[in-house]
Amino acid sequence: MSERTTTQDFERSDVEDFLYHEAYLLDEWRLDEWGELLTEDAWYLVPPNDVPKGNPENTLFHVADNIDRIRSRIKRLKSRHAHAENPHSRTRRLITNVRITARDSEMISASANFIVMRYRRNEQIRQYVGVYEYKFAVEDGQLKIAERKAILDAEELGQLGSISILL
């Protein structure tokens, strides 16, 4: 197969395979490897439930991490100092309805529905349900995450507790 260099070289099935691999890395707590899937200017966003299409520049998000904050989050989650995740939760992600929603010469936009089930000792099972919205760039013939937004369907987070895992 020839080297893929543009967004036109990737199909929905490539995006789907990428998302399954990403889910595997996150569920296995292989956070450094997950971080390697990101561009050097990547964003990880979890918008508020009441403004899911909000802009982090003028709306308070649950998570609005640039690449530096993402790397800090990974480092903290792996340390003993992440009290909410020590020992870390066991998670299982289900990804479905993967679609490419837009494409230009620079980016592929895609969406996918998700369920993240989180298990912790002495706590109820928590299920985070929603839709991912991605922007992918092509670097060195590979898809890289330029933006990853996890939009939760829950109307309030009270029963879900804090979002101490990467959704």
Side-chain angles (χ1 to χ4, degrees):
M1 178 178 222
S2 63
E3 183 177 337
R4 298 190 273 187
T5 58
T6 73
T7 60
Q8 298 300 323
D9 297 330
F10 291 89
E11 302 293 330
R12 185 203 49 80
S13 60
D14 298 311
V15 172
E16 191 173 44
D17 287 345
F18 181 97
L19 296 180
Y20 293 160
H21 177 66
E22 179 195 30
Y24 166 77
L25 294 176
L26 290 171
D27 287 341
E28 295 300 317
W29 215 253
R30 295 167 70 163
L31 303 180
D32 289 327
E33 291 174 70
W34 176 77
E36 294 172 6
L37 300 178
L38 308 173
T39 63
E40 288 298 314
D41 59 351
W43 283 89
Y44 166 54
L45 305 167
V46 180
N49 307 54
D50 59 338
V51 192
K53 297 294 183 188
N55 182 332
E57 292 182 15
N58 56 26
T59 303
L60 182 60
F61 273 44
H62 298 297
V63 178
D65 289 355
N66 65 14
I67 192 66
D68 293 330
R69 293 186 74 179
I70 293 169
R71 289 179 178 140
S72 293
R73 184 180 296 272
I74 290 171
K75 184 177 180 181
R76 184 171 32 84
L77 284 171
K78 291 173 43 186
S79 79
R80 294 180 307 151
H81 303 294
H83 300 292
E85 288 299 326
N86 186 15
H88 67 78
S89 300
R90 295 175 63 186
T91 60
R92 192 64 55 206
R93 292 155 211 281
L94 303 178
I95 310 293
T96 187
N97 295 14
V98 177
R99 297 182 313 124
I100 291 178
T101 56
R103 179 191 317 247
D104 63 25
S105 62
E106 303 291 322
M107 293 283 173
I108 297 173
S109 298
S111 68
N113 295 343
F114 69 86
I115 298 175
V116 179
M117 288 167 274
R118 177 181 178 213
Y119 301 88
R120 287 190 58 80
R121 183 177 29 172
N122 300 325
E123 291 186 15
Q124 291 185 328
I125 299 169
R126 295 186 177 156
Q127 294 184 11
Y128 302 89
V129 178
V131 63
Y132 290 127
E133 292 182 353
Y134 285 90
K135 291 183 181 174
F136 293 103
V138 177
E139 291 182 1
D140 300 324
Q142 302 291 318
L143 290 174
K144 293 279 190 170
I145 299 170
E147 182 178 296
R148 181 182 194 267
K149 186 184 293 185
I151 301 170
L152 293 166
D153 285 343
E155 292 187 15
E156 56 90 28
L157 292 179
Q159 293 184 338
L160 297 176
S162 64
I163 304 173
S164 58
I165 59 171
L166 290 162
L167 287 178

